[in-house]
Amino acid sequence: MATWPVLDGKYIVGDPEAPVAVCALTSESLVEPLAGVEGVAIAGQVYTANLGIERIVTNVIANPAIRFLLLCGKDSKLFRPGQSLGALADNGTDGDSRIVGAEGYDPVLPNLETPQIDHFRRQVEIVDWTGESDLEALREQIGGLAGRNPGPLAADGAESLLSAPPTVEPARFVAIRPGGRREPLQYDPKGYFVITLDCDEEQVVLRHYLTDHTPAHEMRGRVAESMVLGLLREGLISQLSHAGYLGAELAKAESALHLELRYEQDRPLRRPASPTATAENSAAQAGTPPVPRIAPPLTWEQLRAALEGSQAVAAVEVLQCLPDSELDVGFLEPDSADPFSTYRRTDHRLTVSYAPGIPTVMGELSDVVDGAILRVSGVLEAEGRLAAQRLVILTSVVTVH
């Protein structure tokens, strides 16, 4: 049966000619050992009472040799797919494709036709051992079911129209490509977030700052989803792109916490370089993370006084994008009363060089165009050159006179 199963899913195929299908519900640990038991055609999991059950029904009716569906393992308290499968076998569906008598969340099967459901109910006997996880007891039950195998569902003679499996049409989706333009995070008037790990407490730490860099809120947790939901509950995110970014970063942080990886915001996860480095990283993160050290941009006098090879932060306006990842920029003098948001144009010019993969905040490297306003952090070089190590796109969030 080279074309079976016909739909993908969380399962392992045993003997396709065997009569027993095993649904271990949400208990992943039962799938592999039970798939190898004699008499098992397929063993898998299901989490939902809609798409998950649709896949089970479709794969079962595509194999007439399967005559029993054994339910075991732990059922989902929310979706209750085990209880829903039993209700489907007993009652079928109503005119709205809802499983009659199902008690879980959203037990609807909109992608199955009535003939498919009727065929499933005729073909298999549901054996409900929900909650059972003892492998020996389950093996014994499977052996008993295989021993009373009635053979493949008849598909000849007068029964052919009723018993032949309905045609299974593959699901069709419209292809879309990934990617798009994310709004610079500074556009979110609610502020921005700094994510770190507290390894000693096994927590992800998320700190919220207002747009003027004032500390505002702190959240600690271990599950990325619940932390994002907490931010939404408190109304601290106003952009979908910002919510998506935070969800991805918090998921990375959660993974790093559980897998003992190094986490730095906006950077890929990495393995610890050495046991010593791991200890140092844990020690540094165990205490209260400091407020981000956001230094104001240098004035022109401060920049002139800085030594070659020293770190510098400057606000600049791109006058021309040059070849070889260089920028001809005009120096912007920060306002003494508001050095983060208000600048004055000057006649002073610099050359900024950068690597193609330079970290870019509040925008993307494609936003570095003629007229763009940037905050550049880097190393001072000779002859009015600044080797950038980090760019912040300020074009739409600052005032320049």
Side-chain angles (χ1 to χ4, degrees):
M1 199 173 298
T3 60
W4 185 82
V6 294
L7 294 180
D8 60 359
K10 296 181 69 67
Y11 55 68
I12 298 175
V13 177
D15 176 8
E17 303 299 324
V20 181
V22 176
C23 178
L25 300 174
T26 66
S27 299
E28 182 179 6
S29 62
L30 296 178
V31 174
E32 185 173 357
L34 292 180
V37 174
E38 185 176 354
V40 173
I42 188 172
Q45 295 173 258
V46 65
Y47 292 95
T48 66
N50 34 68
L51 293 179
I53 289 181
E54 286 184 346
R55 282 174 166 78
I56 290 174
V57 171
T58 301
N59 281 330
V60 165
I61 65 176
N63 184 351
I66 297 177
R67 304 306 307 275
F68 304 98
L69 178 57
L70 174 62
L71 308 180
C72 59
K74 186 177 180 180
D75 205 1
S76 165
K77 293 181 179 179
L78 174 63
F79 289 99
R80 301 201 63 188
Q83 188 274 335
S84 299
L85 276 165
L88 179 65
D90 291 339
N91 310 313
T93 57
D94 61 20
D96 295 323
S97 300
R98 187 179 185 87
I99 300 174
V100 178
E103 299 173 359
Y105 174 75
D106 202 24
V108 293
L109 311 176
N111 300 305
L112 293 180
E113 301 292 337
T114 299
Q116 293 174 301
I117 295 171
D118 291 343
H119 188 95
F120 174 78
R121 297 175 65 198
R122 273 195 312 276
Q123 179 177 334
V124 297
E125 174 187 336
I126 302 289
V127 181
D128 189 358
W129 273 33
T130 299
E132 182 60 73
S133 59
D134 183 84
L135 288 174
E136 287 307 314
L138 292 169
R139 289 190 184 100
E140 184 177 346
Q141 175 69 292
I142 291 168
L145 295 175
R148 59 185 185 91
N149 178 19
L153 185 65
D156 56 2
E159 296 292 320
S160 61
L161 293 179
L162 294 176
S163 300
T167 301
V168 176
E169 294 291 339
R172 289 182 171 84
F173 298 91
V174 176
I176 57 176
R177 62 180 180 83
R181 186 177 182 83
R182 191 180 81 198
E183 295 178 79
L185 298 185
Q186 185 65 29
Y187 288 179
D188 193 332
K190 297 291 187 177
Y192 63 93
F193 298 85
V194 175
I195 303 170
T196 57
L197 300 183
D198 184 339
C199 294
D200 284 352
E201 296 295 328
E202 297 185 353
Q203 292 179 328
V204 177
V205 181
L206 182 144
R207 285 189 164 89
H208 174 225
Y209 295 83
L210 303 181
T211 54
D212 63 357
H213 315 297
T214 302
H217 303 91
E218 179 182 281
M219 179 188 293
R220 289 173 173 262
R222 294 182 174 86
V223 181
E225 181 181 3
S226 67
M227 296 183 76
V228 172
L229 292 175
L231 296 177
L232 295 174
R233 182 196 67 232
E234 297 296 326
L236 298 180
I237 310 173
S238 65
Q239 296 176 342
L240 290 177
S241 59
H242 197 181
Y245 161 79
L246 287 171
E249 281 299 318
L250 287 168
K252 282 168 48 184
E254 178 187 344
S255 298
L257 191 67
H258 295 310
L259 300 176
E260 298 183 355
L261 299 174
R262 292 178 63 187
Y263 172 78
E264 295 178 56
Q265 192 168 345
D266 296 323
R267 299 193 64 184
L269 294 180
R270 293 177 293 166
R271 294 186 181 279
S274 66
T276 301
T278 303
E280 291 174 351
N281 188 52
S282 298
Q285 294 178 353
T288 301
V291 172
R293 293 175 293 178
I294 305 175
L298 299 178
T299 65
W300 179 249
E301 291 301 320
Q302 290 171 331
L303 188 69
R304 287 184 59 192
L307 298 175
E308 182 178 335
S310 63
Q311 293 286 326
V313 179
V316 301
E317 181 178 18
V318 178
L319 302 177
Q320 185 179 4
C321 294
L322 303 174
D324 301 321
S325 299
E326 290 191 341
L327 304 171
D328 179 18
V329 302
F331 183 84
L332 299 178
E333 187 78 12
D335 185 280
S336 58
D338 186 10
F340 291 102
S341 302
T342 306
Y343 303 96
R344 177 176 56 84
R345 290 185 175 90
T346 72
D347 295 329
H348 308 302
R349 298 175 74 160
L350 298 169
T351 299
V352 173
S353 62
Y354 61 93
I358 186 172
T360 306
V361 182
M362 291 165 50
E364 301 175 355
L365 199 54
S366 59
D367 296 316
V368 180
V369 296
D370 293 358
I373 308 299
L374 310 177
R375 174 189 168 97
V376 182
S377 302
V379 178
L380 278 176
E381 297 179 336
E383 300 177 353
R385 296 178 62 87
L386 181 58
Q389 298 171 324
R390 181 184 177 92
L391 300 177
V392 181
I393 313 298
L394 301 177
T395 308
S396 300
V397 296
V398 297
T399 301
V400 180
H401 301 291

